[in-house]
Amino acid sequence: MGPEVIAKMTTAQMMALDQALAELNVPEPDPGRWAGQLAEVARQMRAVIGRHRDIVPSSIGILPGGSRALRCHERVLAIMRAGGLPDSRAVAGLYLLWVIVNGFSLEETRTGDPERPGPDLSSEVTRYFASLPGDRFPNLVAVADEFANTDWDERYDLLITIFIDGLTAQARLS
């Protein structure tokens, strides 16, 4: 993180973000369990962001650099390296983990009020896709009912599983 990025964040934002990261419990790396450990860290990160949604804007596009953040990054990198990821992929994985958590958290809360999630529009979306001409949009019509699935936990777990499966494949290539 360069000085130009730090200059954009206020001291209060950096302190709030670093304080929130104190809630993370990143385990010591275990090569045999690294993928599960990384999934647990990702779930913890989402929970922390969920409790402190106001910190998301101050962490977009950067890796936080406070003392607690650095300890978190160190442990997450150790987990990824213990899993056999080459250093370049471990660093990319660390950055992408933040992107995933922040992006999902922003999507999860679509209103300006962090305590109030956006309206559930799944039934309207389902009706809209189901009403499309089936000859032009056969796939959207066929899966229209699936858009009613708004289980955020299930979606997050799928996203993290896909992410970790990709990292696992990268570790096998090295």
Side-chain angles (χ1 to χ4, degrees), residues 18-75:
D18 204 53
Q19 184 62 37
L21 294 178
E23 297 175 28
L24 292 177
N25 181 18
V26 183
E28 290 290 334
D30 178 348
R33 296 188 51 249
W34 79 274
Q37 287 181 311
L38 192 56
E40 178 53 34
V41 169
R43 282 191 281 283
Q44 285 185 49
M45 289 173 70
R46 177 182 172 218
V48 167
I49 294 294
R51 288 189 296 275
H52 306 280
R53 291 200 193 278
D54 55 320
I55 66 173
V56 173
S58 62
S59 66
I60 291 178
I62 63 158
L63 282 176
S67 62
R68 291 176 182 100
L70 292 174
R71 284 192 294 274
C72 173
H73 301 333
E74 177 66 22
R75 284 267 178 95

Side-chain angles (χ1 to χ4, degrees), residues 34 38 80-90 93 166-168 170-171 174:
W34 79 274
L38 192 56
M80 289 184 189
R81 293 178 79 208
L85 281 171
D87 291 347
S88 63
R89 293 298 189 235
L167 290 176
T168 302
Q170 291 294 308
S174 61

